[in-house]
Amino acid sequence: MKPRFVIATLLVVVLTIPASMLARQNSKAEKEIRAALDQYVQTNLKGGTEAAATFDKLLADDYVRIAPNGAVYTKAEILDGWKTGKMKVESLEFSDIKIYMYGNTAVATGIARSKATVISANVTAPTRFARVFVKRGGVWKVVLYQNTPIKQ
């Protein structure tokens, strides 16, 4: 009877260790994603060439943005918008943030309230957003951003 108990106990310990390690990794990754989202807000509020330089680091080279009007923008177009003043953010606030982890991929969703000019469109209505992050070379990069207006 004792050998079975010992084997069962060892099996439970061995199986729970990877689960607890994964939970810690996800917790750390979620904190990194939240920090990236905070940096995203602060960078938007700074604007200009400083925003372009920071977004050059935060956005993946194959980044795609799908705007509320359905327009699709590349990383180069977004960076150019910051450099030329076509992108301006007066206010930006995120709420209802949820983060979903899938290994080296994370999806962040939430609500954004902003007053901004994004290339050629004014944004004042609250939007629901989704950002997809991929960890590349140890750094979380945004590969996709989409936001959709919330009907009042």
Side-chain angles (χ1 to χ4, degrees), residues 41-85:
V41 169
Q42 295 309 313
T43 300
N44 269 282
L45 295 173
K46 288 179 184 173
T49 56
E50 188 175 347
T54 302
F55 281 126
D56 191 31
K57 296 173 189 167
L58 291 174
L59 307 178
D61 289 339
D62 54 349
Y63 168 85
V64 174
R65 181 182 193 285
I66 302 170
N69 64 1
V72 178
Y73 300 104
T74 65
K75 177 181 178 176
E77 291 169 319
I78 295 297
L79 297 181
D80 182 64
W82 284 113
K83 291 174 188 173
T84 61

Side-chain angles (χ1 to χ4, degrees), residues 83-94:
K83 291 174 188 173
T84 61
K86 294 177 186 174
M87 300 273 291
K88 293 180 184 175
V89 176
E90 292 179 41
S91 64
L92 176 61
E93 176 185 306
F94 292 158

Side-chain angles (χ1 to χ4, degrees), residues 39 73 95 102 104 121 124 129:
Q39 185 178 18
Y73 300 104
S95 63
Y102 306 99
N104 283 340
T124 55
F129 70 83

Side-chain angles (χ1 to χ4, degrees), residues 59-150:
L59 307 178
D61 289 339
D62 54 349
Y63 168 85
V64 174
R65 181 182 193 285
I66 302 170
N69 64 1
V72 178
Y73 300 104
T74 65
K75 177 181 178 176
E77 291 169 319
I78 295 297
L79 297 181
D80 182 64
W82 284 113
K83 291 174 188 173
T84 61
K86 294 177 186 174
M87 300 273 291
K88 293 180 184 175
V89 176
E90 292 179 41
S91 64
L92 176 61
E93 176 185 306
F94 292 158
S95 63
D96 196 30
I97 296 173
K98 292 183 178 56
I99 298 172
Y100 307 91
M101 301 301 305
Y102 306 99
N104 283 340
T105 302
V107 177
T109 64
I111 295 174
R113 289 178 176 78
S114 65
K115 186 173 183 185
T117 302
V118 179
I119 308 224
S120 60
N122 289 325
V123 179
T124 55
T127 61
R128 186 160 301 277
F129 70 83
R131 274 188 183 73
V132 179
F133 293 82
V134 175
K135 196 165 196 177
R136 294 181 177 165
V139 179
W140 289 103
K141 300 273 190 171
V142 180
V143 294
L144 174 67
Y145 168 48
Q146 180 173 3
N147 60 332
T148 304
I150 297 172

